[in-house]
Amino acid sequence: MSNAYIDKFPAEAKVVKAAFYSSFLALALGGVFGVIQTLHRTDIYRFIDSADYYTVLTAHGVFMVITFTIFFLVGVFTWAVTTSLDRGVEDIRFTWSWVGLMTIGTVMAGVAILAGFVDSIDISASVLFTFYAPLQAHPLFYLGLVLFVVGTWVAGADWFRSWWAWKKENPDARIPLPTFMVLTTMIMWYIATMGVATSILVFLLPWSLGWIETVNPLLTRTLFWFFGHPVVYFWLMPAYLLWYTMLPKFAGGKLFSDPLARVGFVLFLLLSTPVGIHHQYLDPGIAEGFKFIAMTNTMFLLLPSFLTAFTVVASIEHGARQRGGTGYFSWLKSLPWRDPVFAGMALAGLLFAAAGFSGMVNAGMNINYLVHNSLWVVGHFHLTVGTAVALTFMAVSYWFIPQVTGKELWNRSVALIQVVLWFIGMTFMTNSMHRAGLIGMPRRTAEPQYTGFEFETAVGSVGELNAQIALGGVLLTLSLVLFFANIIGTAFGSRSDNLPDNGYAEALSGSDDAPRVLDNLKLWTAIAVVLVIIAYSLPLMSIVDRGGLFGPDITAFPANLESVRFLAFAVEHLGTAALESAGTLAWNTLPEVIR
């Protein structure tokens, strides 16, 4: 008799399975549009008009980085909470309600995007993933996004309900690590989505409906990036959760340090949102001083990233040495590289290290000017969401799908080929994208080849770069075909009692070694909110003062400069006090964590 997830949580397994299958459908759609745009842009094979390229690009972005990632996230988080708390959700009907909201929102936004291919339908949403004004989408697109985000809010409330119920029964117990990671991630998400919710509900949706005539493009753009950078961590943090809690298990060992994992997630909660302006270094309406502050804040994010790298690698090394590995580096040979779950997750982490280096270039103001809006940026986020997230999610699916279906994986050899093929394809694609960005090749254009102008490459040629991008795109498409073949083969297989037990890795240094202040979610939420106020209050007031709340033809608010000076004075002193408090807490907490 197996002890799989479906055996203990049959109702919840249906929810997790529905979330995974929804994410896979979005992955399939996004993959199709991805290879179309790759072949079109590189001029290898074209069968669509260049005007439709932007609809293709919008569909690829929304289906891949919103629908695929977040549907998979809610499945993982539901598994994490129920498994670590060892209890089902409080009301399965409530759980299905947020699945329904997210599904309806996805269909609405998807219809608005895909209708752009049909001239006879007066609906379109070719506004790209960032949906900047003055690009305007049909109201159906914005309403779909609203429902989708509200669905995630309800999902978070569902997981908090489970934790509160568990806490009443276990008042003195520490929050289990997977649940702690889910809760801190959702607090960050609630804060971050305030920006995009305000942008859509107050400005873009009324503008699309014709209720207001104009919007302030810089204001809505800034509100998007208020959300746009933390959404990157919303994709990454479930991958981190899996690296911390599952990868050591697949490696045959234990998590190196539960306390360090908690510190990392607290820092992500505090630092992910106040840095969005670093995406706007070339926006002329934001003062350079605000951009410099955003750059400084962004550099602090290196700390939790390094903590994650150290803890995960140490955990993997422990597993390798448990399997007989020796030496400074020879232990790497003892890892289970023939296991597609481990291999895929480990390779995803390897390419994510490269993403960290290109991310530091993006974060620095002066060198960002060289690569801004170039293909370098596309190469960077294909290493983050396209590899660290997507490859981790696909690899771990080979463990999750048997857990929620009760069926053995169809073919482990095909799975191993699939994850390696994705790694190779993404290596080709992102290498050439970064190199193309360094010579100034632009992103978000169907026609990067200009008449009377040639890009000068230091090594190779533009043709070679395009060939690498196209080759990478084709390999990624083949990898997706193998992935779906395996998932479909598993889904139509027969039930098995020979499944691995559900669970996650134990820790060498457990939760009892972590200072209790780390579990004080109210404290970290308050500090996170204060840091966001410090980072965004003055830039937003400045943008409104210069360009108007609804555009330059509308009287700006606030008009009273004395009130601005007073607020600046208050925010400065409030920020100083908050940073001093955070510094004191960090100084008192980290020595205990290290010991």
Side-chain angles (χ1 to χ4, degrees):
M1 181 67 180
S2 71
N3 189 27
Y5 183 76
I6 191 175
D7 298 317
K8 184 159 188 178
F9 303 106
E12 290 79 5
K14 293 180 180 179
V15 173
V16 176
K17 181 171 65 174
F20 286 163
Y21 285 171
S22 299
S23 77
F24 297 157
L25 178 59
L27 177 63
L29 290 171
V32 169
F33 289 117
V35 72
I36 290 173
Q37 74 177 64
T38 298
L39 297 177
H40 184 97
R41 181 192 163 92
T42 55
D43 204 20
I44 302 295
Y45 178 68
R46 294 185 167 191
F47 64 92
I48 61 169
D49 292 335
S50 287
D52 289 332
Y53 175 87
Y54 303 96
T55 304
V56 170
L57 186 54
T58 303
H60 176 65
V62 172
F63 286 133
M64 281 294 209
V65 302
I66 295 292
T67 313
F68 160 59
T69 58
I70 297 179
F71 261 117
F72 199 91
L73 173 148
V74 296
V76 170
F77 280 9
T78 301
W79 165 84
V81 170
T82 52
T83 297
S84 61
L85 297 181
D86 197 25
R87 62 184 297 133
V89 297
E90 299 308 298
D91 184 349
I92 197 67
R93 293 171 298 179
F94 185 79
T95 302
W96 279 110
S97 71
W98 55 256
V99 175
L101 282 172
M102 292 176 65
T103 303
I104 293 170
T106 298
V107 170
M108 291 172 65
V111 167
I113 295 169
L114 299 178
F117 292 112
V118 183
D119 293 335
S120 59
I121 301 177
D122 190 21
I123 298 175
S124 68
S126 301
V127 292
L128 311 185
F129 156 69
T130 48
F131 50 90
Y132 294 149
L135 296 176
Q136 187 183 76
H138 190 275
L140 190 66
F141 175 77
Y142 298 120
L143 287 170
L145 291 181
V146 168
L147 284 181
F148 186 86
V149 171
V150 169
T152 64
W153 290 349
V154 178
D158 198 11
W159 302 321
F160 270 96
R161 287 179 70 191
S162 294
W163 171 58
W164 288 329
W166 176 87
K167 190 176 179 181
K168 288 180 180 179
E169 299 172 2
N170 305 271
D172 298 323
R174 303 300 300 271
I175 307 174
L177 182 59
T179 297
F180 178 85
M181 292 175 165
V182 170
L183 300 181
T184 49
T185 301
M186 289 310 300
I187 293 170
M188 181 206 71
W189 181 244
Y190 284 131
I191 296 171
T193 47
M194 292 299 102
V196 74
T198 302
S199 177
I200 293 176
L201 293 176
V202 178
F203 301 106
L204 297 179
L205 181 58
W207 176 53
S208 179
L209 290 168
W211 296 349
I212 58 175
E213 293 184 2
T214 61
V215 296
N216 183 337
L218 182 58
L219 177 59
T220 55
R221 183 183 179 101
T222 304
L223 289 172
F224 174 85
W225 285 116
F226 181 105
F227 148 88
H229 189 78
V231 76
V232 173
Y233 284 92
F234 196 56
W235 307 325
L236 283 169
M237 286 164 83
Y240 289 159
L241 182 153
L242 294 168
W243 291 351
Y244 275 118
T245 65
M246 300 302 291
L247 194 54
K249 174 183 176 179
F250 299 137
K254 296 181 178 181
L255 173 63
F256 178 73
S257 174
D258 176 298
L260 279 180
R262 291 174 193 262
V263 169
F265 268 69
V266 167
L267 290 174
F268 283 127
L269 163 61
L270 298 181
L271 302 174
S272 295
T273 306
V275 300
I277 288 175
H278 81 236
H279 290 267
Q280 298 176 268
Y281 284 152
L282 265 68
D283 284 10
I286 300 176
E288 295 298 294
F290 295 142
K291 296 174 184 176
F292 183 82
I293 293 171
M295 178 187 72
T296 305
N297 292 340
T298 303
M299 295 304 173
F300 283 116
L301 271 171
L302 291 173
L303 176 57
S305 298
F306 284 143
L307 284 177
T308 298
F310 170 78
T311 308
V312 172
V313 172
S315 304
I316 293 174
E317 181 180 354
H318 174 263
R321 296 193 184 280
Q322 292 295 107
R323 300 167 64 92
T326 57
Y328 288 115
F329 298 105
S330 298
W331 57 267
L332 289 165
K333 296 185 292 186
S334 299
L335 291 169
W337 292 108
R338 293 185 179 275
D339 177 5
V341 183
F342 173 84
M345 295 176 71
L347 292 174
L350 181 61
L351 281 187
F352 186 58
F357 291 113
S358 63
M360 284 188 279
V361 171
N362 298 340
M365 284 181 66
N366 52 346
I367 47 180
N368 178 279
Y369 295 158
L370 298 175
V371 298
H372 185 81
N373 265 347
S374 74
L375 214 55
W376 170 285
V377 179
V378 184
H380 169 70
F381 63 67
H382 274 81
L383 286 175
T384 54
V385 66
T387 308
V389 176
L391 184 53
T392 294
F393 286 0
M394 286 187 286
V396 82
S397 295
Y398 296 134
W399 184 84
F400 270 125
I401 295 303
Q403 288 289 320
V404 298
T405 61
K407 302 172 182 179
E408 285 192 88
L409 184 65
W410 177 62
N411 194 306
R412 293 178 65 84
S413 297
V414 170
L416 183 60
I417 294 171
Q418 184 265 316
V419 297
V420 172
L421 200 58
W422 188 274
F423 176 82
I424 296 172
M426 199 59 80
T427 300
F428 276 117
M429 175 177 279
T430 56
N431 167 64
S432 51
M433 284 178 169
H434 281 92
R435 289 172 54 207
L438 288 176
I439 61 173
M441 192 172 289
R443 62 184 290 207
R444 289 179 159 176
T445 176
E447 305 291 343
Q449 301 84 17
Y450 301 114
T451 303
F453 175 81
E454 292 185 3
F455 293 102
E456 295 183 5
T457 59
V459 178
S461 65
V462 171
E464 172 257 329
L465 293 176
N466 284 335
Q468 276 202 54
I469 293 173
L471 174 61
V474 170
L475 292 177
L476 293 172
T477 304
L478 292 175
S479 177
L480 280 181
V481 171
L482 295 179
F483 174 74
F484 289 119
N486 224 337
I487 295 299
I488 293 170
T490 303
F492 284 97
S494 56
R495 286 293 297 265
S496 171
D497 292 330
N498 188 29
L499 296 175
D501 290 344
N502 181 44
Y504 56 94
E506 298 178 1
L508 292 172
S509 175
S511 59
D512 291 337
D513 298 325
R516 283 195 168 271
V517 69
L518 290 175
D519 285 6
N520 190 340
L521 298 182
K522 292 180 181 178
L523 171 65
W524 305 123
T525 302
I527 295 175
V529 170
V530 169
L531 291 176
V532 168
I533 292 172
I534 294 170
Y536 272 100
S537 56
L538 292 180
L540 287 175
M541 284 190 291
S542 175
I543 290 168
V544 172
D545 187 49
R546 290 183 178 186
L549 190 62
F550 293 96
D553 296 328
I554 308 298
T555 301
F557 174 83
N560 188 339
L561 294 180
E562 290 300 321
S563 64
V564 174
R565 294 192 186 100
F566 173 77
L567 285 172
F569 177 82
V571 167
E572 178 184 357
H573 284 73
L574 181 63
T576 302
L579 289 173
E580 288 178 354
S581 175
T584 302
L585 281 170
W587 183 261
N588 294 331
T589 300
L590 281 175
E592 297 181 46
V593 173
I594 293 170
R595 285 198 297 268

